[in-house]
Amino acid sequence: MVNTSKHPNITLYTYSEVVEFGGIPGNYKVKIKKNPRFIDEKKCTGCGLCTTKCPIKIPNDFDRGIGERGAVYIPFPQAVPKYAVIDRSICIECKNCERICPAEAVNFDQEVEYIDITVGAVIVATGYDEYPIIESNEYDYGLNPDVITQIELERMLSPIGPTEGHVYKISDGTIPKTVVMIQCVGSRSVKALPYCSATCCNVALKNAQLLKQEYPGIDVIIFYIDIRTTDKGNEEYYRKIRESGVRMIRGQVGEIMLDSKNNQLIIRAFSSLTGEIVKIKADLIVLSTGMIPSKGTGELVDVMGLSIGPSGFLTEIHGCLSPQETKNMGIYICGCATGPKNIPYSVSTALAAASKAATLLSHDIINQELIIAEVDEELCMGCHRCEKLCEYEAIKVDENEIAKVDELKCKGCGVCVTSCPAKAIDIKYYREKQFKEEIKGIGAFQAQSRKKVGKVENN
């Protein structure tokens, strides 16, 4: 991230969002809304002194509510660029930050700024969000403070996290002796996410190992449906974790109860391997929640006209042949914007998308396939049927009620041809007249062949 911020050919627009998008490949027009930080980026040095004097304290979003932040804060320790930002929704305008800032960077008069840029290609990498288990309170999450998610556990295990790498029970601050992890929370369920989120098993194994390293005497138990460790070396890693003493129970947790006397959570579950009901007392429960499309993904779908699948993730033209390409030339997708992925897989898709964009922009002229739709304006009656059925949004009916084809978007699939009731649309080089003449030619050739065969037989 630091190298990116220092690269002379890279311009970063942080704390910003795309609000308008249009144009054609090689000449896309993008309007960016730059939100006000109320901090002058040219003056801010990222010293963080302003954050120490803010009287407001609320749960820190980055630390998943375990830590705290003020109304003026730096989003996270490795933020690039490392500028503070003021949350005006909770700021009481005590001006402590303004008085203490040695660089005089605080500016409460900042306003929204709009920036217009022209780009040749776009790579969409909007990531993912965590499954919102707080909405269902599944496994008493949100009701019992000692039921947390894997991301919250990771923030606690981080040396620069809110607990400086130490894990404790949220309820009383004691070190847990028994930690239970529950897999597939929100994933592989007809009531929530029908798909596997791909990374949860490895994340649980990794965090179990970190817990064992930090607290050798701790008891870690993982409830799972199936342990899926498909990438290179992950199956060996799974066996290593089992050998370290982490207990694996194949089955789903059915009930969680609170033993208020000992401040412990009692778990009742069915073990499908032994066919028994197991009861375990746990100090901390960690839920491995699934992945859902990020909020930014949904916003860009509307702004850029991208396609999404049944799960809400962005869809490509072809999962095997064109996994990074969208229906619009010059717009590529990668990472978890297209579906759940781990870090190596996300990196490889990002490299592929970058390669596609570089290939497009390395040419001065775009080579377009000429097998595309064409409209006979005299026959078109503006029924909009072709417009509704086109998967690539390549055909639109104009103000004169005549269908117009965007030659850069059209892929020549022929759906509009078959749907047109007036037969006003044809595919270049595959016109209906051409097919008729070809059929006539084939028929004439066969007739001549039969005549020649008849003459030979008569002779």
Side-chain angles (χ1 to χ4, degrees):
M1 291 191 296
V2 174
N3 290 338
T4 299
S5 66
K6 293 182 178 180
H7 197 286
N9 293 339
I10 297 177
T11 302
L12 283 179
Y13 293 102
T14 57
Y15 209 51
S16 306
E17 55 189 305
V18 175
V19 292
E20 290 183 16
F21 183 85
I24 61 174
N27 191 33
Y28 283 123
K29 306 296 183 182
V30 184
K31 174 171 281 190
I32 299 173
K33 177 185 177 183
K34 187 174 177 60
N35 297 299
R37 295 176 181 271
F38 305 105
I39 298 289
D40 191 332
E41 297 179 6
K42 296 180 180 178
K43 295 180 179 180
C44 182
T45 61
C47 67
L49 189 60
C50 56
T51 65
T52 64
K53 298 299 180 180
C54 183
I56 301 297
K57 296 298 176 184
I58 65 170
N60 190 339
D61 298 334
F62 183 75
D63 290 327
R64 292 300 193 273
I66 297 176
E68 293 182 330
R69 69 166 175 85
V72 55
Y73 64 101
I74 294 175
F76 56 97
Q78 302 90 356
V80 174
K82 196 173 183 180
Y83 299 142
V85 59
I86 297 177
D87 185 349
R88 292 297 295 272
S89 65
I90 61 171
C91 178
I92 59 174
E93 297 192 18
C94 62
K95 303 295 180 73
N96 284 352
C97 54
E98 186 177 31
R99 285 190 289 269
I100 200 172
C101 180
E104 299 181 351
V106 177
N107 180 9
F108 285 96
D109 296 326
Q110 262 190 4
E111 296 180 351
V112 173
E113 181 183 358
Y114 290 94
I115 303 169
D116 294 311
I117 61 174
T118 301
V119 299
V122 178
I123 297 176
V124 180
T126 46
Y128 75 95
D129 284 339
E130 190 179 14
Y131 172 71
I133 190 174
I134 189 67
E135 295 179 3
S136 62
N137 299 125
E138 192 174 356
Y139 297 114
D140 287 346
Y141 180 81
L143 303 177
N144 193 305
D146 293 329
V147 180
I148 64 176
T149 65
Q150 289 287 0
I151 294 181
E152 292 169 1
L153 177 61
E154 287 195 335
R155 292 309 304 146
M156 295 174 72
L157 288 168
S158 173
I160 56 174
T163 61
E164 299 180 344
H166 303 296
V167 177
Y168 58 81
K169 295 175 63 176
I170 307 299
S171 60
D172 57 19
T174 59
I175 297 175
K177 296 179 180 179
T178 303
V179 176
V180 171
M181 297 183 179
I182 304 176
Q183 300 303 105
C184 298
V185 177
S187 297
R188 303 175 66 186
S189 170
V190 294
K191 297 181 180 179
L193 310 178
Y195 52 85
C196 171
S197 293
T199 63
C200 314
C201 289
N202 285 325
V203 169
L205 295 175
K206 183 259 294 182
N207 287 340
Q209 182 186 33
L210 292 177
L211 284 171
K212 281 288 189 180
Q213 290 175 349
E214 181 71 16
Y215 308 100
I218 199 170
D219 188 13
V220 181
I221 305 167
I222 299 179
F223 282 92
Y224 68 95
I225 300 174
D226 298 296
I227 293 292
R228 296 183 172 182
T229 54
T230 55
D231 286 352
K232 182 178 180 181
N234 285 346
E235 185 64 23
E236 292 79 4
Y237 183 64
Y238 164 58
R239 292 177 182 175
K240 177 183 176 182
I241 300 304
R242 292 195 64 170
E243 293 169 358
S244 69
V246 175
R247 295 166 57 191
M248 303 283 184
I249 300 178
R250 188 174 186 271
Q252 288 186 300
V253 174
E255 184 181 22
I256 295 178
M257 300 172 289
L258 176 63
D259 181 358
S260 56
K261 182 178 180 181
N262 299 316
N263 193 24
Q264 281 187 310
L265 296 166
I266 302 174
I267 296 173
R268 293 180 73 252
F270 175 75
S271 174
S272 60
L273 293 180
T274 63
E276 299 174 340
I277 299 294
V278 296
K279 184 181 290 186
I280 296 173
K281 289 186 177 181
D283 299 307
L284 196 65
I285 294 177
V286 184
L287 308 179
S288 298
T289 52
M291 294 181 175
I292 62 171
S294 68
K295 179 183 177 183
T297 301
E299 293 172 350
L300 283 185
V301 166
D302 297 330
V303 174
M304 300 179 65
L306 301 173
S307 298
I308 58 174
S311 301
F313 291 99
L314 301 180
T315 56
E316 59 285 321
I317 292 179
H318 193 284
C320 296
L321 302 179
S322 303
Q324 264 57 69
E325 298 179 47
T326 65
K327 63 185 181 183
N328 297 324
M329 182 188 300
I331 300 179
Y332 308 102
I333 53 181
C334 66
C336 290
T338 65
K341 292 178 182 63
N342 58 17
I343 293 174
Y345 193 8
S346 296
V347 171
S348 64
T349 58
L351 291 172
S355 176
K356 286 289 184 180
T359 301
L360 175 68
L361 299 179
S362 62
H363 297 88
D364 295 329
I365 299 175
I366 295 176
N367 294 321
Q368 171 67 5
E369 177 63 64
L370 292 179
I371 303 174
I372 56 178
E374 62 177 358
V375 179
D376 186 337
E377 296 185 2
E378 294 183 359
L379 295 177
C380 181
M381 57 185 185
C383 66
H384 293 264
R385 186 174 296 181
C386 55
E387 180 180 346
K388 294 176 182 177
L389 293 176
C390 182
E391 292 287 337
Y392 305 100
E393 298 181 1
I395 190 165
K396 299 287 184 182
V397 177
D398 63 12
E399 63 276 2
N400 298 319
E401 294 299 313
I402 301 296
K404 299 292 184 181
V405 178
D406 187 329
E407 297 184 351
L408 287 175
K409 288 185 177 181
C410 182
K411 306 300 180 185
C413 67
V415 170
C416 55
V417 178
T418 60
S419 66
C420 182
K423 295 186 177 181
I425 308 176
D426 259 332
I427 298 292
K428 291 181 180 179
Y429 304 104
Y430 288 90
R431 298 176 179 90
E432 187 174 343
K433 293 180 180 179
Q434 290 176 286
F435 281 116
K436 288 181 179 179
E437 294 301 321
E438 288 180 7
I439 293 171
K440 288 180 181 179
I442 293 172
F445 175 77
Q446 290 178 343
Q448 290 177 358
S449 299
R450 284 194 294 269
K451 287 181 180 180
K452 290 180 180 180
V453 172
K455 289 181 180 179
V456 172
E457 289 177 350
N458 291 334
N459 294 335

